[in-house]
Amino acid sequence: MPAGIDDIAVYIPKLYVDATDFASQRGLDPAKLQKGLGVSQMAMVDTNQDPACLAANVCLKIIQKNNLKPADIGRLYVSTESSIDESKAMNSYVIGMLEQVYGSGVFEHCGGVETKFACVSGSYALYDNANWIRAGEADGKYAIVVVSDIAKYDMGSSGELTQGAGAVAMLLNDCPRLLEFDPRVASTSIKDEYDFYRPTGKSTPIVHGQYSNLLYLIQVRNALEIYKRKAQETGLIEIGQGETVLDHIDYMCMHLPYSNMGKKAFAYLLRHEWRSLPRWKSVVDAVGMEEPIPNNIGTIETILEDRAFMEKDHHFNKRLVETKEFKKEYNAKLASSLRASTMVGNIYTASLYLSFRSALEFEHNRGTDLAGKRFGFCSYGSGSSAMIFSGVICPQYREVVEPMNITAEIGERRRLTFEEYEIIHENKRLPNNPMLDTSKEFVLVDVNTSPDSQGQRRYVYNE
Ligand code: COA
């Protein structure tokens, strides 16, 4: 039985910090954010929003857009790394909020859990729910997978340049209009690592940024090796002489902690795939220098400590992305997927799916016929695991993609002053004192502090 994504919705909070304001206050060149990282605006949550609100808002959006009844939905999974409780799952809060609109108890048989594995957990949730459908367990019902996160880093840290907030909901079924998953090719790589983690009780993560960047590349490449084997064994892809598996994937969506990381990761995959092919000679000639090799391929630490190699390697990559060979691949397969991320910033679990949403809209706007085109998804979560899977765009995709307009979907936003940003970041305003008045949205009213009910959250739907 096929399974895939029937529709996709995005919810982005209405406050943002502009890269230029941020840079001037932190004494940085704005080009570092805009060009170096690919961050123009970073979405911020209001004082009366948490990741559960974002998840409920995007869930309501996809339900209303598709005129679904609560009984049509058999599963609701919420994937996040911004968990608000050690035990109570985020989908239960979302059910509670949705029942304020649809009536008490109407989602009683909509099972699900909250999943966690940094930014990759949404991909595991998609895979598990696709298999629920493939196994015939869905009984004609939809599954909804929501990915919702608030990326918040310590003030003054390098991670502070890559913040953001938002949620994406994906509606899954056995006759999708948008994308049908390729069967039996989803591939993973996993290793116990401390590149980025948030110990219990801490509101911001501990990040080893450069280590994490390199681990992301290595893990995604490991997963691609398995994908390549599975794709050939299942007969999905036949890799001819002088070809790479990437020649058979029309579009790539990458995990985007910041937009330019997608370009880096794509370049890394191409570099490793092309190296053994005849075309590599002309690429290296165009780069104009030999590909550097580390003195010691022991660990990520030894590679990072090898300054001479890192500098040469950085230089090589900078030249590689300027070659016509790379630019051709980049413009054809990746560029459209990076655009929405520059407007929103990092949304952890949701960033890969915002990139898919971005590719659909901007490729369609370029006049591309997407029907039958294969999308490859490169998911990465710190800690660490990568997952690679793929799917093919369905014949009736236009029905869903034609009305897409990410600017309209994000809606009117308010640019925060730097002082307002600091107040929000440091939680100096309470939920009862939001920056914005909103309507038709779920908001957080308060968090109980009494010993018996500590941590209980009240939400309301603002008519
Ligand atoms: N104009 C244009 N580009 C500039 C610039 C300027 N004035 N100054 C710096 N840059 C570029 C750098 O060259 C670099 O790009 P490159 O690697 O393509 O050359 C980029 O901006 C980032 O600068 P850099 O100094 O290397 O990084 P940083 O120390 O500021 O840290 C992160 C960047 C992403 C590592 C950091 O923000 C972070 O830890 N983020 C959170 C964790 C994360 O995102 N992990 C990723 C894996 S999930």
Side-chain angles (χ1 to χ4, degrees), residues 343-462:
M343 302 155 71
V344 173
N346 193 0
I347 44 175
Y348 292 158
T349 50
S351 81
L352 174 65
Y353 299 100
L354 183 65
S355 88
F356 175 50
R357 166 71 181 69
S358 180
L360 291 171
E361 176 176 336
F362 294 111
E363 277 308 307
H364 178 70
N365 289 354
R366 271 166 61 156
T368 314
D369 180 2
L370 289 170
K373 296 280 192 285
R374 172 158 290 121
F375 272 71
F377 295 82
C378 296
S379 194
Y380 174 71
S382 293
S384 70
S385 177
M387 179 187 264
I388 298 209
F389 58 98
S390 58
V392 171
I393 298 292
C394 304
Q396 63 277 50
Y397 81 93
R398 277 193 192 79
E399 207 182 300
V400 183
V401 173
E402 191 82 55
M404 282 183 175
N405 178 336
I406 192 72
T407 312
E409 191 158 5
I410 293 174
E412 206 176 311
R413 298 201 283 177
R414 169 155 164 224
R415 181 174 176 163
L416 291 171
T417 64
F418 198 73
E419 291 68 35
E420 288 172 330
Y421 156 70
E422 287 184 319
I423 287 168
I424 289 193
H425 190 286
E426 297 304 286
N427 301 322
K428 289 185 181 150
R429 272 170 86 139
L430 294 173
N432 63 6
N433 189 18
M435 298 272 180
L436 295 175
D437 285 331
T438 49
S439 65
K440 308 269 178 234
E441 286 195 2
F442 296 106
V443 290
L444 175 68
V445 178
D446 55 33
V447 184
N448 201 310
T449 52
S450 71
D452 280 355
S453 312
Q454 188 186 347
Q456 288 193 12
R457 290 170 183 250
R458 264 191 325 131
Y459 299 94
V460 70
Y461 183 66
N462 274 342

Side-chain angles (χ1 to χ4, degrees), residues 29-33 35-37 119 153 158-162 195-196 207-210 212-213 216 255 257-258 260-261 264 314 318 346 380 382:
D29 180 352
K32 171 164 182 175
L33 281 90
K35 296 209 171 78
L37 296 167
C119 305
Y153 294 85
S158 67
E160 201 191 8
L161 281 54
T162 59
D195 56 325
F196 169 115
V207 193
H208 305 293
Q210 301 300 352
S212 187
N213 278 354
Y216 166 165
H255 166 52
Y258 50 95
N260 281 6
M261 187 63 203
K264 272 180 199 274
H314 187 247
K318 285 277 176 206
N346 193 0
Y380 174 71
S382 293

